[in-house]
Amino acid sequence: MRWWGWGDAQRAQELPEGAAALLRATLGAEGGLRPPVALDQVTLPPSRLDPGGRSRLAAIVGEEGVRDDHGSRVLHAAGKGYPDLVRLRAGRPEGAPDAVLYPESHEQVRAVLEACSEARTAVVPWGGGTSVVGGVAPLRGEMDAVVALDLRRLGRLLALDSVSRLATVQAGMRGPALEAALGAQGFTLGHFPQSFEYVSIGGCVATRSAGQASTGYGRIDDMVFGLRAAAPAGEISLPAFPASAAGPDLRELMVGSEGALGVLTEVCLRVRPRPPSRRYEGMFFRTFAEGVEALRAGAQEHALPDVTRLSDEAETGVSLALTGQDSLRLRAGRAYLRARGYARGCVAILGWEGEPEDLARRRGTGLALLREHGGLSVGSGPGRRWARARYEGPYLRDWLLDRGVLVETLETATRWSRLEGLHRAVGDALRSALGGRGTPAVVMCHVSHVYETGASLYFTFLARQEAGAEIEQWQAAKSAATDAIVAGGGTLTHHHAVGRDHAPWLGAEVGPLGLAALGAVKRELDPQGIMNPGKLVTG
Amino acid sequence: MRWWGWGDAQRAQELPEGAAALLRATLGAEGGLRPPVALDQVTLPPSRLDPGGRSRLAAIVGEEGVRDDHGSRVLHAAGKGYPDLVRLRAGRPEGAPDAVLYPESHEQVRAVLEACSEARTAVVPWGGGTSVVGGVAPLRGEMDAVVALDLRRLGRLLALDSVSRLATVQAGMRGPALEAALGAQGFTLGHFPQSFEYVSIGGCVATRSAGQASTGYGRIDDMVFGLRAAAPAGEISLPAFPASAAGPDLRELMVGSEGALGVLTEVCLRVRPRPPSRRYEGMFFRTFAEGVEALRAGAQEHALPDVTRLSDEAETGVSLALTGQDSLRLRAGRAYLRARGYARGCVAILGWEGEPEDLARRRGTGLALLREHGGLSVGSGPGRRWARARYEGPYLRDWLLDRGVLVETLETATRWSRLEGLHRAVGDALRSALGGRGTPAVVMCHVSHVYETGASLYFTFLARQEAGAEIEQWQAAKSAATDAIVAGGGTLTHHHAVGRDHAPWLGAEVGPLGLAALGAVKRELDPQGIMNPGKLVTG
């Protein structure tokens, strides 16, 4: 993972020149390059970990399990949110962990937490480090030092009960490694967030992640049946039951706990047979509103594909521009859409997975229902393009950051009856906040997680960066959007978690007594307050 | 509701004489009648509520909202578990609330909790009063008095968002009233526990109830999207979102909170269109093991009916005996089963609900799959009989209690790979515990809630009562069964809740730190400890 951006340098992406020119014109961007500084130019504060503290930790995780070199500290200095990348690229992260620890077992994690509780050292649990909400910011809070607890050595599939379809997995296992291990036995988890190639499964659980195929496989919270966590006060171990009425569900307290209550070390997940067939395809709707109504019908009839995704008019326009060269085929496609009245329409991506026969049956039912609601099938081209690029958004972000473009995403979910109002309100808030600063915004949105009672909205917005005021500019947009979400009846976050960025609004969602209840649990499990300070529970 | 038993005297049930004679012979029961005492023979402790305390409460809920007459106190002296009924029928309940309060609004509930916190009066939230685990026992704990808070006046459907399929309902609304109100607008909740005719929706939520059609509609916890609760420390209000990643799910902390953290006053529930068609039918499997495998395949292929229920060999035998007269038709049916090799088999009840066309399609797929796994369709007779008697089990229990028979149920759930072992272990534990006391037991079981990863097991057991030692006898059986459940990898309870009866084992399920976390939430929401003492969180 590149310290100043995303992933593998070999896979860097760029915008086709046509789209780039259009974007420059729309945003008023200049197009000059603003590359990141070199690694050795990144300024870090000196490590606050004294030799005694360091050797106490090394006694637990081994000498090779403690790193405090410049590179390791920079790599763990921030997540992958827009402000993180702006600061890192400028060589000025807010801070860095005083050391990075690599425990190898639940017991080592427990021992680290005990040692850090005694030493007043804050602990930031670290999975893939892909948080986009400040969830892994190296904050000390009131502690004297801070370490990142990188769980990559907890990377094994521990058990697979194929009869019950339950897999027990160490929390640090990465998405691709888990899929490979399950796939070797004919199974899949079915959890594919955009960050799939880098996430840890524990990180997904701790942040209530939702994958691109969530309509079929469910969110990560639907997949977690049991878990084991280490907290400063001890161990939480919750066995996997298919269902239980034994009081409040403590799993649901640890799922989404964002490292603030303890460290997930093992999770027991529901798995499914690896689908032998996949079919991704496109469908157009005349308007976003029409598409939303079709998705609602599909969700309420349980007739949707496993991947269900609907772009609004703006995102559809950008998608079409991104397909690049105005080939004969694309021009023919556009003529077809125009002739049918879908010229300014919205594209949906529909992805079906499963046994061929079952897939064909479900697809037949689903497409018929969506067509009844106005959908126009446009073949497998858009589906193939989406599937090819499904993990590449963050690469494109790096390319845009290189060129002085603010690019950020945020997301929410609400009930169907409020979806269109919220879509409008958040878009207006972003356009107004950024336009008011003299940096007109492009805002686009899609629905990508669909439920009987409502759906998610995922916004991407772009504007020309305000050089020297990048963070204030971002903060203004983020605040305006979040205020609009709260006022419009949306949740603060559908799958990005609370982290640091949403924490000021959590009380608006769960109320003061809800916050107090969370605080009480936090004090019980983490009496010294060492766990991931400044995130989630900040009171 | 009859104070000493179940429901409506007009609907009393009795065993057919053939079955009764068989039961007497098997259990060695004498058959003499042991009727309940008269209401005025029930001994209650004097009310501990002084006139000042009484008038402070009357100032909140109105004079007609406070009752402390003998009849009201007896009706709220216990739930409907076996030990409850044994004690009530003998005229010797363990205690009784000092008064029964009937608040009319969330605000009145809040005010009552504040007044009771000040006055050191314990509060037992009361919905339908149908707990079978001691969940509404009038325990004072360390308080000076105890009141029952009967929520029947909070009985309205507040709002129906038919686009989002979300209904906002006051917590005291009874099952039939809610279904009638939803049905008038074309919807159903789809939650039909055996106690349906008497339960309150708040009680269902507070105890994580599961209805008979849970395979299709889900458990109550799958239906709750938002809620409002009054706690001594304030209000918890959680809006309904289709999904959220905003930290730990506090809904899941209040769902299943059993009145120990506060009082649910409103819940926002997912509803579905009222199904125009229903079809209930029977299927036989050669053995319970074969049926379990078929259900597992159906659950994992998502091909099961909305009601899915499989009796083991013992329960099937009793069901056949209960059908009564050995009619020509039944004899023909048995001959058919014998000829096909299902003579000692197990009956499953399959209930399909929905639009006729969709129902037919799903039924075709489901039956084909179950037949592939050994199922033999036996027509709609068993389904019709089951549907007719679906709420009548508790009436039969009263008839058996009249005749000196210990009859009790208990339930659990576990993953598929442990289901048969647990079925055997719990049956053995019950037979051994009761047989060892000289009261041989009949133990029967069914699976009635089926999931991808596992299923529930619901046991009914009968034995001759030990006159004068009824409670000790029950406790011995209950303890043996619960120990076997914990040792065999089952949850303490799949849908009956923790209450008082399971509380001693809760630590075995969630661990000491899990208990401590619950205790911390309890102290935050209920600092004086007035809420439902002795249930759920007892430490």
Side-chain angles (χ1 to χ4, degrees), chain A residues 293-351:
Chain A
E293 274 302 287
L295 262 45
R296 177 169 78 90
Q300 294 181 344
E301 299 284 323
H302 306 280
L304 287 181
D306 303 297
V307 174
T308 303
R309 185 185 167 95
L310 171 72
S311 294
D312 68 2
E313 289 84 353
E315 190 172 279
T316 301
V318 170
S319 294
L320 290 175
L322 281 179
T323 55
Q325 288 70 35
D326 205 12
S327 71
L328 200 64
R329 197 159 151 198
L330 274 168
R331 268 183 286 164
R334 277 176 209 175
Y336 174 72
L337 288 174
R338 209 158 37 236
R340 300 290 298 265
Y342 290 77
R344 304 180 63 81
C346 291
V347 69
I349 301 297
L350 311 174

Side-chain angles (χ1 to χ4, degrees), chain A residues 197-411:
Chain A
E197 294 170 313
Y198 292 92
V199 290
S200 73
I201 190 66
C204 291
V205 173
T207 57
R208 292 189 176 270
S209 159
Q212 293 166 346
S214 73
T215 303
Y217 293 91
R219 301 162 54 82
I220 197 79
D221 12 343
D222 300 319
M223 301 173 182
V224 178
F225 283 77
L227 57 83
R228 190 176 185 203
E235 172 176 342
I236 295 251
S237 183
L238 300 169
F241 300 122
S244 172
D249 190 345
L250 297 178
R251 277 159 210 78
E252 294 285 352
L253 204 58
M254 299 308 294
V255 174
S257 58
E258 302 189 14
L261 303 180
V263 182
L264 293 173
T265 56
E266 289 172 22
V267 287
C268 183
L269 302 160
R270 180 253 287 153
V271 295
R272 288 193 175 155
R274 200 174 171 80
S277 300
R278 288 189 163 85
R279 188 180 164 111
Y280 301 133
E281 62 192 309
M283 180 172 263
F284 260 76
F285 293 92
R286 289 180 196 85
T287 62
F288 187 56
E290 182 183 69
V292 164
E293 274 302 287
L295 262 45
R296 177 169 78 90
Q300 294 181 344
E301 299 284 323
H302 306 280
L304 287 181
D306 303 297
V307 174
T308 303
R309 185 185 167 95
L310 171 72
S311 294
D312 68 2
E313 289 84 353
E315 190 172 279
T316 301
V318 170
S319 294
L320 290 175
L322 281 179
T323 55
Q325 288 70 35
D326 205 12
S327 71
L328 200 64
R329 197 159 151 198
L330 274 168
R331 268 183 286 164
R334 277 176 209 175
Y336 174 72
L337 288 174
R338 209 158 37 236
R340 300 290 298 265
Y342 290 77
R344 304 180 63 81
C346 291
V347 69
I349 301 297
L350 311 174
W352 319 84
E353 307 193 348
E355 293 288 337
E357 203 178 312
D358 187 52
L359 187 158
R361 186 191 57 71
R362 289 174 51 222
R363 179 169 174 260
T365 310
L367 290 183
L369 184 140
L370 295 171
R371 284 185 194 127
E372 266 173 47
H373 286 82
L376 176 72
S377 283
V378 294
S380 58
R384 274 203 310 271
R385 279 191 294 276
W386 173 81
R388 209 162 44 223
R390 63 191 292 186
Y391 305 129
E392 302 198 329
Y395 288 104
L396 220 41
R397 177 172 62 167
D398 289 336
W399 189 88
L400 290 162
L401 287 170
D402 278 342
R403 281 150 187 84
V405 175
L406 156 59
V407 51
E408 173 64 315
T409 63
L410 51 83
E411 34 80 70

Side-chain angles (χ1 to χ4, degrees), chain A residues 411-425:
Chain A
E411 34 80 70
T412 180
T414 193
R415 54 169 77 187
W416 290 112
S417 60
R418 293 178 187 160
L419 198 74
E420 287 183 60
L422 190 59
H423 174 245
R424 205 166 29 237

Side-chain angles (χ1 to χ4, degrees), chain A residues 166 225 239-246 251, chain B residues 210 219 410-420 422-423 426 445-451 453-459 484-486 488-496 509:
Chain A
L166 288 168
F225 283 77
F241 300 122
S244 172
R251 277 159 210 78
Chain B
R219 303 163 51 84
L410 51 83
E411 35 78 71
T412 180
T414 193
R415 53 169 77 188
W416 290 112
S417 60
R418 293 178 187 159
L419 200 73
E420 288 183 59
L422 190 59
H423 174 245
V426 175
C445 181
H446 60 252
V447 166
S448 50
H449 306 270
V450 185
Y451 307 88
T453 58
S456 67
L457 289 171
Y458 187 96
F459 293 89
I485 285 170
V486 169
T491 176
L492 277 182
T493 168
H494 170 268
H495 60 269
H496 281 172
E509 182 146 331

